[in-house]
């Protein structure tokens, strides 16, 4: 007997469903790893994204070390635009990763914008 749509899986179906689900939140390292692994974007696009991520991390490093040179609003805008670019590139070919990036947006921002948490990255 097939369970009704939306019903919780039980018995033998539960492990199979649990294996298919991916974590919806990624940390920065998880995001980088998933972007490296995806086949949804090509090598040169991955290289471009890696350069943009590293540039943004450098900008955060300068911001935190200089005790606020520049503005956090500028960094937030750059961060949002970069994540939007990633989601746009992935939405058709790797929607799970696009969703995970969207779901992780706020938690990664908290790590980047907090000077104490940023030091541990």
């Amino acid at each position: 007997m097939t369970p009704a749509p939306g019903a919780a899986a039980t018995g033998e179906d539960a492990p199979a469903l649990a294996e298919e689900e991916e974590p919806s939140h990624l940390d920065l390292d998880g995001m980088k790893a998933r972007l490296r692994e995806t086949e949804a974007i090509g090598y040169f696009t991955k290289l471009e994204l890696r350069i943009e991520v590293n540039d943004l991390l450098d900008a955060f490093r300068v911001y935190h070390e200089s005790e606020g040179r520049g503005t956090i609003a500028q960094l937030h805008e750059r961060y949002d635009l970069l994540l939007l670019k990633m989601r746009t590139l992935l939405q058709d070919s790797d929607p799970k990763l696009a969703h995970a990036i969207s779901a992780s947006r706020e938690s990664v921002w908290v790590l980047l914008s907090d000077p104490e948490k940023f030091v541990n990255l």
Side-chain angles (χ1 to χ4, degrees):
M1 179 175 242
T2 305
T10 58
E12 295 177 21
D13 293 335
L17 290 176
E19 290 174 13
E20 290 177 17
E21 292 180 15
E22 295 184 27
S24 61
H25 291 283
L26 300 170
D27 61 4
L28 189 59
D29 289 334
M31 192 180 295
K32 287 180 180 179
R34 294 276 305 276
L35 283 167
R36 270 193 304 271
E37 295 167 2
T38 188
E39 295 180 8
I41 53 178
Y43 173 79
F44 291 107
T45 303
K46 290 178 185 181
L47 182 60
E48 180 184 336
L49 287 174
R50 186 174 74 195
I51 290 167
E52 289 182 48
V53 167
N54 288 339
D55 286 348
L56 184 60
L57 290 174
D58 287 343
F60 271 101
R61 195 168 292 108
V62 167
Y63 175 79
H64 291 308
E65 289 174 357
S66 65
E67 298 177 357
R69 190 176 78 192
T71 68
I72 197 73
Q74 292 168 331
L75 291 172
H76 202 173
E77 182 178 351
R78 284 181 63 187
Y79 173 75
D80 284 342
L81 289 172
L82 181 56
L83 263 60
L84 177 63
K85 180 178 183 174
M86 289 179 191
R87 290 190 322 250
T88 301
L89 288 167
L90 296 165
Q91 68 187 359
D92 293 331
S93 301
D94 195 343
K96 287 182 181 180
L97 180 53
H99 175 72
I101 288 171
S102 292
S104 305
R105 184 185 153 279
E106 188 61 31
S107 62
V108 172
W109 171 252
V110 168
L111 291 174
L112 295 174
S113 61
D114 184 319
E116 292 177 17
K117 293 177 182 176
F118 183 82
V119 169
N120 297 322
L121 292 180

